[in-house]
Amino acid sequence: MKILVINAGSSSMKYQLIDMKDESVLAKGNCERIGVDGHFKHTTGDGRTYETDVVMNNHTEAFVQIKNALIDEQYGVIKELSEVSAIGHRIVQGGALFSESTIVTEEVIKGIESLIPLAPLHNAAHVQGIKACLEVFGKDVPEVVVFDTAFHSTMPQKAFMYPVPYEYYEKYAVRRYGFHGTSHRYVSQRCAELMGKDIKDTKIITCHLGNGSSITAIDGGKVIDTSMGLTPLDGIMMGTRTGSLDPSVVTFIAEKEHFSPSEMDTVLNKKSGFLGISGVSSDDRDVSSAAADGNTRAQLAIDMLEYEILKYIGSYTAVLGGVDAIVFTAGIGENQYSHRENVCHNLAYMGVKIDDEVNKKAIRGVEGKISTPDSSVEVFVIPTNEELVIARDTMELVK
Ligand code: AMP
């Protein structure tokens, strides 16, 4: 069974065609700058690459590019489109409506649309992606939606409520939802496998550290708390996002600078975090190299990030009542070994010990344990694979 996995953004659409026989990636690519000018890149599992500037006015036109590339004589990986058995879509916000992956129906599309106010940029683009897919592939190819929020739906109410007047929860569904759920789910399951344990018998803290970052506490395979909230702005500091802060900071700056809510939103989402503190870049690699060259604001950004990771691990260890394993994943978690080293050395008080040499080598897609055999908590680096989870869920549902 071959499954096409789609991640549709407002101006981009990433895809992977996965052969479920051995879970190999047959082809992957990205349609960028949809509705602007358009750039398309397609790479096959055996290393053939096709790249071109091509106007894509909308998601349907982007899908036509994907379709043509998949069956192209030179760059294709299948003979006919009918070889695609099903399509799985990543959906950012499932709200309280969707606690698990589901087959797309008219009603499901309406449900995702009804959640647009909670994730205006993402959910609107996802719906465009689903509709474009229906147009190009037709109704006979089943489509499945997999939600970033679903894995977090097990959080108890005391963890997901915000202490604002209850009426806003009732009227507008204002609460913590959490994101990156597919990633936290994948790495926690993989972690239990690597530990040789049933996930039901584990307490795991997963650190998804990338351009967007979130940390999750998972007890027996069920999320009990997570750092992102109503939107992906909450939690630890990120590339351009603040993470949590005193809400008065927002009203104070907005008043001083005469910012409208949407201007303030831009400051919080696009101009803060690593970029705002360092003044160098939102990218950890740039900030780390500036810090190594003596840039003190870049060093401060790094110190703040590591401090926040440490704080979350400490507080989540408390809410879990102990921790068996800590997992690092995503661009920063999988590659920036110095952050892992600094965080883990500061966890020595709870018996965490890592092998610094093993840790240094766990980069660029390497999966493995970086803690020493006598560490009281196992520490892993596990490259995330959200596309695979989407493909697996899709296969399960259409089978
Ligand atoms: P992500 O959002 O998961 O793609 O992660 C992006 C972040 O990971 C950026 O801050 C990058 O600086 C950081 N990063 C560090 N090393 C790498 C690497 N080898 N490949 C990709 N991202 C990296």
PDB file of all heavy atoms in Angstrom, residues 4 6 13 15 31 34 40 42 50 52 54-72 81 129 131-137:
ATOM      1  N   LEU A   4       0.202   8.736   0.363  1.00  0.00           N
ATOM      2  CA  LEU A   4       0.715  10.088   0.147  1.00  0.00           C
ATOM      3  C   LEU A   4       0.418  10.910   1.401  1.00  0.00           C
ATOM      4  O   LEU A   4      -0.729  10.996   1.840  1.00  0.00           O
ATOM      5  CB  LEU A   4       0.026  10.705  -1.078  1.00  0.00           C
ATOM      6  CG  LEU A   4       0.500  12.088  -1.514  1.00  0.00           C
ATOM      7  CD1 LEU A   4       1.972  12.085  -1.910  1.00  0.00           C
ATOM      8  CD2 LEU A   4      -0.346  12.600  -2.684  1.00  0.00           C
ATOM      9  N   ILE A   6       0.475  14.570   3.196  1.00  0.00           N
ATOM     10  CA  ILE A   6       0.443  15.990   2.799  1.00  0.00           C
ATOM     11  C   ILE A   6       0.471  16.899   4.025  1.00  0.00           C
ATOM     12  O   ILE A   6      -0.251  16.675   4.991  1.00  0.00           O
ATOM     13  CB  ILE A   6      -0.864  16.291   2.014  1.00  0.00           C
ATOM     14  CG1 ILE A   6      -0.921  15.483   0.722  1.00  0.00           C
ATOM     15  CG2 ILE A   6      -1.018  17.789   1.744  1.00  0.00           C
ATOM     16  CD1 ILE A   6       0.082  15.871  -0.331  1.00  0.00           C
ATOM     17  N   MET A  13       3.322  23.463   0.327  1.00  0.00           N
ATOM     18  CA  MET A  13       2.713  22.140   0.521  1.00  0.00           C
ATOM     19  C   MET A  13       3.813  21.086   0.417  1.00  0.00           C
ATOM     20  O   MET A  13       4.413  20.891  -0.630  1.00  0.00           O
ATOM     21  CB  MET A  13       1.623  21.899  -0.524  1.00  0.00           C
ATOM     22  CG  MET A  13       0.827  20.657  -0.230  1.00  0.00           C
ATOM     23  SD  MET A  13      -0.872  20.791  -0.797  1.00  0.00           S
ATOM     24  CE  MET A  13      -0.633  21.023  -2.532  1.00  0.00           C
ATOM     25  N   TYR A  15       5.138  17.100   0.772  1.00  0.00           N
ATOM     26  CA  TYR A  15       4.537  15.774   0.589  1.00  0.00           C
ATOM     27  C   TYR A  15       5.589  14.685   0.678  1.00  0.00           C
ATOM     28  O   TYR A  15       6.790  14.931   0.489  1.00  0.00           O
ATOM     29  CB  TYR A  15       3.830  15.697  -0.775  1.00  0.00           C
ATOM     30  CG  TYR A  15       4.761  15.809  -1.957  1.00  0.00           C
ATOM     31  CD1 TYR A  15       5.283  14.675  -2.581  1.00  0.00           C
ATOM     32  CD2 TYR A  15       5.154  17.056  -2.426  1.00  0.00           C
ATOM     33  CE1 TYR A  15       6.158  14.784  -3.646  1.00  0.00           C
ATOM     34  CE2 TYR A  15       6.026  17.173  -3.488  1.00  0.00           C
ATOM     35  CZ  TYR A  15       6.525  16.048  -4.095  1.00  0.00           C
ATOM     36  OH  TYR A  15       7.406  16.158  -5.153  1.00  0.00           O
ATOM     37  N   CYS A  31       6.065  22.153  -2.545  1.00  0.00           N
ATOM     38  CA  CYS A  31       5.607  23.231  -3.423  1.00  0.00           C
ATOM     39  C   CYS A  31       5.711  24.494  -2.577  1.00  0.00           C
ATOM     40  O   CYS A  31       5.033  24.607  -1.551  1.00  0.00           O
ATOM     41  CB  CYS A  31       4.146  23.046  -3.812  1.00  0.00           C
ATOM     42  SG  CYS A  31       3.783  21.443  -4.511  1.00  0.00           S
ATOM     43  N   ILE A  34       3.261  29.148  -3.092  1.00  0.00           N
ATOM     44  CA  ILE A  34       1.971  28.996  -3.776  1.00  0.00           C
ATOM     45  C   ILE A  34       1.237  30.340  -3.698  1.00  0.00           C
ATOM     46  O   ILE A  34       1.190  30.964  -2.625  1.00  0.00           O
ATOM     47  CB  ILE A  34       1.115  27.893  -3.093  1.00  0.00           C
ATOM     48  CG1 ILE A  34       1.831  26.541  -3.149  1.00  0.00           C
ATOM     49  CG2 ILE A  34      -0.273  27.801  -3.715  1.00  0.00           C
ATOM     50  CD1 ILE A  34       1.199  25.464  -2.288  1.00  0.00           C
ATOM     51  N   PHE A  40       9.024  24.476  -7.147  1.00  0.00           N
ATOM     52  CA  PHE A  40       8.664  23.083  -6.878  1.00  0.00           C
ATOM     53  C   PHE A  40       9.914  22.211  -6.843  1.00  0.00           C
ATOM     54  O   PHE A  40      10.770  22.301  -7.725  1.00  0.00           O
ATOM     55  CB  PHE A  40       7.721  22.594  -7.994  1.00  0.00           C
ATOM     56  CG  PHE A  40       7.337  21.148  -7.850  1.00  0.00           C
ATOM     57  CD1 PHE A  40       6.557  20.720  -6.788  1.00  0.00           C
ATOM     58  CD2 PHE A  40       7.772  20.211  -8.781  1.00  0.00           C
ATOM     59  CE1 PHE A  40       6.214  19.378  -6.654  1.00  0.00           C
ATOM     60  CE2 PHE A  40       7.424  18.874  -8.650  1.00  0.00           C
ATOM     61  CZ  PHE A  40       6.642  18.465  -7.588  1.00  0.00           C
ATOM     62  N   HIS A  42      11.216  18.111  -6.083  1.00  0.00           N
ATOM     63  CA  HIS A  42      10.789  16.719  -5.913  1.00  0.00           C
ATOM     64  C   HIS A  42      12.041  15.849  -5.887  1.00  0.00           C
ATOM     65  O   HIS A  42      12.905  15.970  -6.753  1.00  0.00           O
ATOM     66  CB  HIS A  42       9.882  16.370  -7.111  1.00  0.00           C
ATOM     67  CG  HIS A  42       9.555  14.935  -7.279  1.00  0.00           C
ATOM     68  ND1 HIS A  42       8.458  14.346  -6.687  1.00  0.00           N
ATOM     69  CD2 HIS A  42      10.160  13.954  -8.000  1.00  0.00           C
ATOM     70  CE1 HIS A  42       8.398  13.071  -7.055  1.00  0.00           C
ATOM     71  NE2 HIS A  42       9.424  12.809  -7.847  1.00  0.00           N
ATOM     72  N   TYR A  50      14.174  16.706  -9.108  1.00  0.00           N
ATOM     73  CA  TYR A  50      13.589  17.579 -10.121  1.00  0.00           C
ATOM     74  C   TYR A  50      13.212  18.873  -9.429  1.00  0.00           C
ATOM     75  O   TYR A  50      12.516  18.862  -8.411  1.00  0.00           O
ATOM     76  CB  TYR A  50      12.356  16.888 -10.722  1.00  0.00           C
ATOM     77  CG  TYR A  50      11.518  17.767 -11.610  1.00  0.00           C
ATOM     78  CD1 TYR A  50      12.004  18.210 -12.830  1.00  0.00           C
ATOM     79  CD2 TYR A  50      10.229  18.140 -11.223  1.00  0.00           C
ATOM     80  CE1 TYR A  50      11.215  19.025 -13.649  1.00  0.00           C
ATOM     81  CE2 TYR A  50       9.445  18.940 -12.027  1.00  0.00           C
ATOM     82  CZ  TYR A  50       9.946  19.386 -13.238  1.00  0.00           C
ATOM     83  OH  TYR A  50       9.177  20.177 -14.038  1.00  0.00           O
ATOM     84  N   THR A  52      12.096  23.101 -10.139  1.00  0.00           N
ATOM     85  CA  THR A  52      11.750  24.102 -11.148  1.00  0.00           C
ATOM     86  C   THR A  52      10.970  25.276 -10.547  1.00  0.00           C
ATOM     87  O   THR A  52      10.284  25.115  -9.535  1.00  0.00           O
ATOM     88  CB  THR A  52      10.900  23.445 -12.279  1.00  0.00           C
ATOM     89  OG1 THR A  52      10.624  24.411 -13.270  1.00  0.00           O
ATOM     90  CG2 THR A  52       9.579  22.897 -11.760  1.00  0.00           C
ATOM     91  N   VAL A  54       7.826  27.323 -11.056  1.00  0.00           N
ATOM     92  CA  VAL A  54       6.595  27.158 -11.810  1.00  0.00           C
ATOM     93  C   VAL A  54       5.462  27.846 -11.052  1.00  0.00           C
ATOM     94  O   VAL A  54       5.336  27.686  -9.830  1.00  0.00           O
ATOM     95  CB  VAL A  54       6.280  25.652 -12.059  1.00  0.00           C
ATOM     96  CG1 VAL A  54       6.238  24.870 -10.760  1.00  0.00           C
ATOM     97  CG2 VAL A  54       4.986  25.469 -12.827  1.00  0.00           C
ATOM     98  N   VAL A  55       4.679  28.621 -11.779  1.00  0.00           N
ATOM     99  CA  VAL A  55       3.601  29.354 -11.108  1.00  0.00           C
ATOM    100  C   VAL A  55       2.543  28.381 -10.606  1.00  0.00           C
ATOM    101  O   VAL A  55       2.087  27.508 -11.345  1.00  0.00           O
ATOM    102  CB  VAL A  55       2.963  30.385 -12.081  1.00  0.00           C
ATOM    103  CG1 VAL A  55       1.760  31.059 -11.435  1.00  0.00           C
ATOM    104  CG2 VAL A  55       3.991  31.424 -12.487  1.00  0.00           C
ATOM    105  N   MET A  56       2.202  28.502  -9.326  1.00  0.00           N
ATOM    106  CA  MET A  56       1.116  27.706  -8.745  1.00  0.00           C
ATOM    107  C   MET A  56       0.175  28.713  -8.084  1.00  0.00           C
ATOM    108  O   MET A  56       0.515  29.274  -7.041  1.00  0.00           O
ATOM    109  CB  MET A  56       1.668  26.715  -7.723  1.00  0.00           C
ATOM    110  CG  MET A  56       2.538  25.631  -8.345  1.00  0.00           C
ATOM    111  SD  MET A  56       3.358  24.569  -7.134  1.00  0.00           S
ATOM    112  CE  MET A  56       4.801  25.528  -6.718  1.00  0.00           C
ATOM    113  N   ASN A  57      -0.949  28.956  -8.739  1.00  0.00           N
ATOM    114  CA  ASN A  57      -1.838  30.005  -8.243  1.00  0.00           C
ATOM    115  C   ASN A  57      -2.586  29.603  -6.981  1.00  0.00           C
ATOM    116  O   ASN A  57      -3.027  30.455  -6.218  1.00  0.00           O
ATOM    117  CB  ASN A  57      -2.843  30.397  -9.330  1.00  0.00           C
ATOM    118  CG  ASN A  57      -2.164  31.177 -10.442  1.00  0.00           C
ATOM    119  OD1 ASN A  57      -1.485  32.164 -10.172  1.00  0.00           O
ATOM    120  ND2 ASN A  57      -2.308  30.710 -11.665  1.00  0.00           N
ATOM    121  N   ASN A  58      -2.756  28.299  -6.816  1.00  0.00           N
ATOM    122  CA  ASN A  58      -3.494  27.828  -5.640  1.00  0.00           C
ATOM    123  C   ASN A  58      -3.072  26.389  -5.330  1.00  0.00           C
ATOM    124  O   ASN A  58      -2.235  25.810  -6.030  1.00  0.00           O
ATOM    125  CB  ASN A  58      -5.005  27.909  -5.902  1.00  0.00           C
ATOM    126  CG  ASN A  58      -5.338  27.247  -7.226  1.00  0.00           C
ATOM    127  OD1 ASN A  58      -4.855  26.153  -7.523  1.00  0.00           O
ATOM    128  ND2 ASN A  58      -6.149  27.909  -8.035  1.00  0.00           N
ATOM    129  N   HIS A  59      -3.680  25.803  -4.280  1.00  0.00           N
ATOM    130  CA  HIS A  59      -3.279  24.466  -3.842  1.00  0.00           C
ATOM    131  C   HIS A  59      -3.618  23.396  -4.887  1.00  0.00           C
ATOM    132  O   HIS A  59      -2.929  22.386  -4.978  1.00  0.00           O
ATOM    133  CB  HIS A  59      -3.914  24.140  -2.493  1.00  0.00           C
ATOM    134  CG  HIS A  59      -3.291  24.913  -1.359  1.00  0.00           C
ATOM    135  ND1 HIS A  59      -3.471  26.256  -1.201  1.00  0.00           N
ATOM    136  CD2 HIS A  59      -2.473  24.522  -0.359  1.00  0.00           C
ATOM    137  CE1 HIS A  59      -2.797  26.677  -0.135  1.00  0.00           C
ATOM    138  NE2 HIS A  59      -2.184  25.636   0.388  1.00  0.00           N
ATOM    139  N   THR A  60      -4.688  23.626  -5.645  1.00  0.00           N
ATOM    140  CA  THR A  60      -5.043  22.647  -6.683  1.00  0.00           C
ATOM    141  C   THR A  60      -3.929  22.578  -7.728  1.00  0.00           C
ATOM    142  O   THR A  60      -3.506  21.491  -8.146  1.00  0.00           O
ATOM    143  CB  THR A  60      -6.392  23.024  -7.341  1.00  0.00           C
ATOM    144  OG1 THR A  60      -7.357  23.166  -6.291  1.00  0.00           O
ATOM    145  CG2 THR A  60      -6.851  21.975  -8.327  1.00  0.00           C
ATOM    146  N   GLU A  61      -3.419  23.742  -8.127  1.00  0.00           N
ATOM    147  CA  GLU A  61      -2.327  23.753  -9.106  1.00  0.00           C
ATOM    148  C   GLU A  61      -1.059  23.129  -8.516  1.00  0.00           C
ATOM    149  O   GLU A  61      -0.281  22.494  -9.227  1.00  0.00           O
ATOM    150  CB  GLU A  61      -2.061  25.187  -9.587  1.00  0.00           C
ATOM    151  CG  GLU A  61      -3.209  25.720 -10.436  1.00  0.00           C
ATOM    152  CD  GLU A  61      -2.953  27.116 -11.012  1.00  0.00           C
ATOM    153  OE1 GLU A  61      -1.793  27.570 -11.058  1.00  0.00           O
ATOM    154  OE2 GLU A  61      -3.935  27.746 -11.411  1.00  0.00           O
ATOM    155  N   ALA A  62      -0.870  23.298  -7.233  1.00  0.00           N
ATOM    156  CA  ALA A  62       0.287  22.660  -6.579  1.00  0.00           C
ATOM    157  C   ALA A  62       0.131  21.135  -6.627  1.00  0.00           C
ATOM    158  O   ALA A  62       1.081  20.399  -6.904  1.00  0.00           O
ATOM    159  CB  ALA A  62       0.398  23.146  -5.138  1.00  0.00           C
ATOM    160  N   PHE A  63      -1.097  20.671  -6.380  1.00  0.00           N
ATOM    161  CA  PHE A  63      -1.349  19.224  -6.410  1.00  0.00           C
ATOM    162  C   PHE A  63      -1.099  18.632  -7.792  1.00  0.00           C
ATOM    163  O   PHE A  63      -0.649  17.500  -7.925  1.00  0.00           O
ATOM    164  CB  PHE A  63      -2.791  18.924  -5.968  1.00  0.00           C
ATOM    165  CG  PHE A  63      -2.822  18.333  -4.605  1.00  0.00           C
ATOM    166  CD1 PHE A  63      -3.296  19.055  -3.533  1.00  0.00           C
ATOM    167  CD2 PHE A  63      -2.339  17.055  -4.381  1.00  0.00           C
ATOM    168  CE1 PHE A  63      -3.288  18.514  -2.263  1.00  0.00           C
ATOM    169  CE2 PHE A  63      -2.331  16.513  -3.121  1.00  0.00           C
ATOM    170  CZ  PHE A  63      -2.807  17.235  -2.052  1.00  0.00           C
ATOM    171  N   VAL A  64      -1.398  19.415  -8.821  1.00  0.00           N
ATOM    172  CA  VAL A  64      -1.157  18.938 -10.187  1.00  0.00           C
ATOM    173  C   VAL A  64       0.344  18.717 -10.381  1.00  0.00           C
ATOM    174  O   VAL A  64       0.772  17.723 -10.980  1.00  0.00           O
ATOM    175  CB  VAL A  64      -1.733  19.944 -11.222  1.00  0.00           C
ATOM    176  CG1 VAL A  64      -1.321  19.563 -12.636  1.00  0.00           C
ATOM    177  CG2 VAL A  64      -3.250  20.011 -11.100  1.00  0.00           C
ATOM    178  N   GLN A  65       1.175  19.616  -9.827  1.00  0.00           N
ATOM    179  CA  GLN A  65       2.638  19.438  -9.913  1.00  0.00           C
ATOM    180  C   GLN A  65       3.060  18.143  -9.226  1.00  0.00           C
ATOM    181  O   GLN A  65       3.853  17.365  -9.759  1.00  0.00           O
ATOM    182  CB  GLN A  65       3.367  20.621  -9.237  1.00  0.00           C
ATOM    183  CG  GLN A  65       3.222  21.946  -9.930  1.00  0.00           C
ATOM    184  CD  GLN A  65       3.800  21.919 -11.344  1.00  0.00           C
ATOM    185  OE1 GLN A  65       4.821  21.279 -11.599  1.00  0.00           O
ATOM    186  NE2 GLN A  65       3.129  22.581 -12.262  1.00  0.00           N
ATOM    187  N   ILE A  66       2.503  17.918  -8.046  1.00  0.00           N
ATOM    188  CA  ILE A  66       2.864  16.708  -7.285  1.00  0.00           C
ATOM    189  C   ILE A  66       2.460  15.473  -8.074  1.00  0.00           C
ATOM    190  O   ILE A  66       3.253  14.539  -8.264  1.00  0.00           O
ATOM    191  CB  ILE A  66       2.175  16.714  -5.888  1.00  0.00           C
ATOM    192  CG1 ILE A  66       2.639  17.916  -5.063  1.00  0.00           C
ATOM    193  CG2 ILE A  66       2.446  15.407  -5.151  1.00  0.00           C
ATOM    194  CD1 ILE A  66       1.932  18.089  -3.732  1.00  0.00           C
ATOM    195  N   LYS A  67       1.233  15.490  -8.539  1.00  0.00           N
ATOM    196  CA  LYS A  67       0.707  14.352  -9.312  1.00  0.00           C
ATOM    197  C   LYS A  67       1.593  14.070 -10.518  1.00  0.00           C
ATOM    198  O   LYS A  67       2.028  12.924 -10.742  1.00  0.00           O
ATOM    199  CB  LYS A  67      -0.725  14.690  -9.750  1.00  0.00           C
ATOM    200  CG  LYS A  67      -1.381  13.630 -10.574  1.00  0.00           C
ATOM    201  CD  LYS A  67      -2.664  14.131 -11.183  1.00  0.00           C
ATOM    202  CE  LYS A  67      -2.386  14.703 -12.552  1.00  0.00           C
ATOM    203  NZ  LYS A  67      -3.579  14.944 -13.360  1.00  0.00           N
ATOM    204  N   ASN A  68       1.910  15.107 -11.286  1.00  0.00           N
ATOM    205  CA  ASN A  68       2.728  14.916 -12.494  1.00  0.00           C
ATOM    206  C   ASN A  68       4.115  14.380 -12.161  1.00  0.00           C
ATOM    207  O   ASN A  68       4.644  13.526 -12.870  1.00  0.00           O
ATOM    208  CB  ASN A  68       2.852  16.236 -13.276  1.00  0.00           C
ATOM    209  CG  ASN A  68       1.528  16.620 -13.907  1.00  0.00           C
ATOM    210  OD1 ASN A  68       0.619  15.793 -14.005  1.00  0.00           O
ATOM    211  ND2 ASN A  68       1.394  17.871 -14.309  1.00  0.00           N
ATOM    212  N   ALA A  69       4.698  14.887 -11.070  1.00  0.00           N
ATOM    213  CA  ALA A  69       6.045  14.430 -10.697  1.00  0.00           C
ATOM    214  C   ALA A  69       6.027  12.957 -10.297  1.00  0.00           C
ATOM    215  O   ALA A  69       6.930  12.196 -10.646  1.00  0.00           O
ATOM    216  CB  ALA A  69       6.589  15.284  -9.557  1.00  0.00           C
ATOM    217  N   LEU A  70       4.971  12.566  -9.577  1.00  0.00           N
ATOM    218  CA  LEU A  70       4.908  11.175  -9.091  1.00  0.00           C
ATOM    219  C   LEU A  70       4.839  10.169 -10.237  1.00  0.00           C
ATOM    220  O   LEU A  70       5.350   9.049 -10.120  1.00  0.00           O
ATOM    221  CB  LEU A  70       3.702  10.981  -8.151  1.00  0.00           C
ATOM    222  CG  LEU A  70       3.784  11.686  -6.794  1.00  0.00           C
ATOM    223  CD1 LEU A  70       2.481  11.504  -6.017  1.00  0.00           C
ATOM    224  CD2 LEU A  70       4.962  11.157  -5.968  1.00  0.00           C
ATOM    225  N   ILE A  71       4.188  10.580 -11.353  1.00  0.00           N
ATOM    226  CA  ILE A  71       4.041   9.623 -12.471  1.00  0.00           C
ATOM    227  C   ILE A  71       4.939   9.977 -13.666  1.00  0.00           C
ATOM    228  O   ILE A  71       4.854   9.347 -14.721  1.00  0.00           O
ATOM    229  CB  ILE A  71       2.557   9.526 -12.933  1.00  0.00           C
ATOM    230  CG1 ILE A  71       2.010  10.915 -13.296  1.00  0.00           C
ATOM    231  CG2 ILE A  71       1.687   8.870 -11.876  1.00  0.00           C
ATOM    232  CD1 ILE A  71       0.623  10.863 -13.931  1.00  0.00           C
ATOM    233  N   ASP A  72       5.821  10.953 -13.468  1.00  0.00           N
ATOM    234  CA  ASP A  72       6.707  11.380 -14.563  1.00  0.00           C
ATOM    235  C   ASP A  72       7.626  10.215 -14.996  1.00  0.00           C
ATOM    236  O   ASP A  72       8.075   9.429 -14.162  1.00  0.00           O
ATOM    237  CB  ASP A  72       7.567  12.552 -14.066  1.00  0.00           C
ATOM    238  CG  ASP A  72       8.432  13.137 -15.162  1.00  0.00           C
ATOM    239  OD1 ASP A  72       7.899  13.949 -15.929  1.00  0.00           O
ATOM    240  OD2 ASP A  72       9.614  12.763 -15.249  1.00  0.00           O
ATOM    241  N   LEU A  81      -1.522   6.899 -11.097  1.00  0.00           N
ATOM    242  CA  LEU A  81      -1.972   7.526  -9.862  1.00  0.00           C
ATOM    243  C   LEU A  81      -2.762   6.558  -8.978  1.00  0.00           C
ATOM    244  O   LEU A  81      -2.777   6.686  -7.751  1.00  0.00           O
ATOM    245  CB  LEU A  81      -2.848   8.734 -10.225  1.00  0.00           C
ATOM    246  CG  LEU A  81      -2.647   9.955  -9.364  1.00  0.00           C
ATOM    247  CD1 LEU A  81      -1.185  10.324  -9.255  1.00  0.00           C
ATOM    248  CD2 LEU A  81      -3.448  11.103  -9.918  1.00  0.00           C
ATOM    249  N   GLY A 129      -5.979  22.384   1.234  1.00  0.00           N
ATOM    250  CA  GLY A 129      -5.219  21.196   0.822  1.00  0.00           C
ATOM    251  C   GLY A 129      -6.132  19.997   0.606  1.00  0.00           C
ATOM    252  O   GLY A 129      -6.020  19.281  -0.400  1.00  0.00           O
ATOM    253  N   LYS A 131      -9.371  19.968  -0.013  1.00  0.00           N
ATOM    254  CA  LYS A 131     -10.280  20.193  -1.146  1.00  0.00           C
ATOM    255  C   LYS A 131      -9.529  20.055  -2.474  1.00  0.00           C
ATOM    256  O   LYS A 131     -10.036  19.481  -3.434  1.00  0.00           O
ATOM    257  CB  LYS A 131     -10.946  21.574  -1.035  1.00  0.00           C
ATOM    258  CG  LYS A 131     -11.985  21.588   0.093  1.00  0.00           C
ATOM    259  CD  LYS A 131     -12.722  22.906   0.167  1.00  0.00           C
ATOM    260  CE  LYS A 131     -13.848  22.823   1.197  1.00  0.00           C
ATOM    261  NZ  LYS A 131     -14.402  24.131   1.535  1.00  0.00           N
ATOM    262  N   ALA A 132      -8.309  20.586  -2.525  1.00  0.00           N
ATOM    263  CA  ALA A 132      -7.501  20.487  -3.744  1.00  0.00           C
ATOM    264  C   ALA A 132      -7.205  19.019  -4.051  1.00  0.00           C
ATOM    265  O   ALA A 132      -7.248  18.572  -5.201  1.00  0.00           O
ATOM    266  CB  ALA A 132      -6.196  21.259  -3.566  1.00  0.00           C
ATOM    267  N   CYS A 133      -6.950  18.280  -3.018  1.00  0.00           N
ATOM    268  CA  CYS A 133      -6.641  16.858  -3.148  1.00  0.00           C
ATOM    269  C   CYS A 133      -7.854  16.103  -3.717  1.00  0.00           C
ATOM    270  O   CYS A 133      -7.722  15.249  -4.598  1.00  0.00           O
ATOM    271  CB  CYS A 133      -6.327  16.374  -1.740  1.00  0.00           C
ATOM    272  SG  CYS A 133      -5.560  14.832  -1.660  1.00  0.00           S
ATOM    273  N   LEU A 134      -9.032  16.455  -3.228  1.00  0.00           N
ATOM    274  CA  LEU A 134     -10.266  15.835  -3.733  1.00  0.00           C
ATOM    275  C   LEU A 134     -10.443  16.135  -5.221  1.00  0.00           C
ATOM    276  O   LEU A 134     -10.828  15.275  -6.004  1.00  0.00           O
ATOM    277  CB  LEU A 134     -11.479  16.357  -2.959  1.00  0.00           C
ATOM    278  CG  LEU A 134     -11.768  15.688  -1.619  1.00  0.00           C
ATOM    279  CD1 LEU A 134     -12.786  16.490  -0.827  1.00  0.00           C
ATOM    280  CD2 LEU A 134     -12.252  14.260  -1.821  1.00  0.00           C
ATOM    281  N   GLU A 135     -10.108  17.385  -5.592  1.00  0.00           N
ATOM    282  CA  GLU A 135     -10.254  17.780  -7.003  1.00  0.00           C
ATOM    283  C   GLU A 135      -9.309  16.993  -7.903  1.00  0.00           C
ATOM    284  O   GLU A 135      -9.687  16.543  -8.977  1.00  0.00           O
ATOM    285  CB  GLU A 135      -9.925  19.270  -7.168  1.00  0.00           C
ATOM    286  CG  GLU A 135     -11.092  20.198  -6.920  1.00  0.00           C
ATOM    287  CD  GLU A 135     -10.679  21.653  -7.121  1.00  0.00           C
ATOM    288  OE1 GLU A 135     -10.138  21.974  -8.185  1.00  0.00           O
ATOM    289  OE2 GLU A 135     -10.882  22.439  -6.182  1.00  0.00           O
ATOM    290  N   VAL A 136      -8.061  16.839  -7.454  1.00  0.00           N
ATOM    291  CA  VAL A 136      -7.055  16.226  -8.324  1.00  0.00           C
ATOM    292  C   VAL A 136      -7.092  14.697  -8.274  1.00  0.00           C
ATOM    293  O   VAL A 136      -6.972  14.034  -9.299  1.00  0.00           O
ATOM    294  CB  VAL A 136      -5.643  16.753  -7.953  1.00  0.00           C
ATOM    295  CG1 VAL A 136      -4.554  16.057  -8.762  1.00  0.00           C
ATOM    296  CG2 VAL A 136      -5.584  18.258  -8.174  1.00  0.00           C
ATOM    297  N   PHE A 137      -7.273  14.127  -7.104  1.00  0.00           N
ATOM    298  CA  PHE A 137      -7.237  12.663  -6.969  1.00  0.00           C
ATOM    299  C   PHE A 137      -8.626  12.023  -7.048  1.00  0.00           C
ATOM    300  O   PHE A 137      -8.748  10.821  -7.213  1.00  0.00           O
ATOM    301  CB  PHE A 137      -6.555  12.256  -5.659  1.00  0.00           C
ATOM    302  CG  PHE A 137      -5.065  12.397  -5.701  1.00  0.00           C
ATOM    303  CD1 PHE A 137      -4.472  13.625  -5.490  1.00  0.00           C
ATOM    304  CD2 PHE A 137      -4.246  11.314  -5.980  1.00  0.00           C
ATOM    305  CE1 PHE A 137      -3.089  13.771  -5.540  1.00  0.00           C
ATOM    306  CE2 PHE A 137      -2.867  11.441  -6.029  1.00  0.00           C
ATOM    307  CZ  PHE A 137      -2.289  12.678  -5.810  1.00  0.00           C
TER     308      PHE A 137
END
